[in-house]
Amino acid sequence: GFLYKEQLIELKIISDSLFQLISPILEVNPAQINKINLNTADFKTFIIHPYFTAETINAIIKYRKQHGEFKEAKHISRIKSLKEETGNKILPYLTTN
């Protein structure tokens, strides 16, 4: 799922020119995003998502092994090796339920 239309360009799904043409009729619904469970997801589950790099995934899994389950998704900010920008980008796609 997408949070905003411009992700189609950011993720190189469509060209800028096509985006400009169809943007007025595009709709996104963030409520329909399938979130990834921080406490149960494995590497294969995370890597399917375009915002998750191997480095980010390994940091999440390592932190989870060392500290136990995440109580809230926003607690990814406690992972010292995770850049704030990356954390902000992936947070909307995470859950602990």
Side-chain angles (χ1 to χ4, degrees):
F2 297 101
L3 294 171
Y4 49 91
K5 296 180 202 181
E6 291 77 14
Q7 284 177 294
L8 294 169
I9 298 169
E10 176 188 337
L11 296 169
K12 297 179 177 29
I13 295 170
I14 62 174
S15 68
D16 187 49
S17 57
L18 179 58
F19 178 80
Q20 297 306 323
L21 183 67
I22 66 173
S23 180
I25 60 171
L26 288 176
E27 291 183 25
V28 295
N29 185 348
Q32 292 183 335
I33 291 174
N34 291 326
K35 295 190 175 199
I36 300 170
N37 189 316
L38 270 172
N39 295 320
T40 60
D42 60 6
F43 189 92
K44 289 180 183 179
T45 302
F46 282 114
I47 201 67
I48 293 170
H49 194 286
Y51 284 155
F52 289 85
T53 64
E55 181 182 356
T56 299
I57 298 164
N58 287 329
I60 291 169
I61 292 172
K62 182 179 177 182
Y63 185 91
R64 187 172 66 195
K65 285 180 182 178
Q66 290 177 344
H67 302 280
E69 290 191 349
F70 289 87
K71 301 229 185 287
E72 296 180 53
K74 68 181 181 180
H75 290 165
I76 60 167
S77 64
R78 296 177 180 172
I79 303 172
K80 300 213 184 302
S81 63
L82 192 65
K83 294 178 183 173
E84 185 177 352
E85 177 185 345
T86 302
N88 290 337
K89 191 177 271 192
I90 66 173
L91 185 59
Y93 300 97
L94 298 172
T95 186
T96 55
N97 299 333

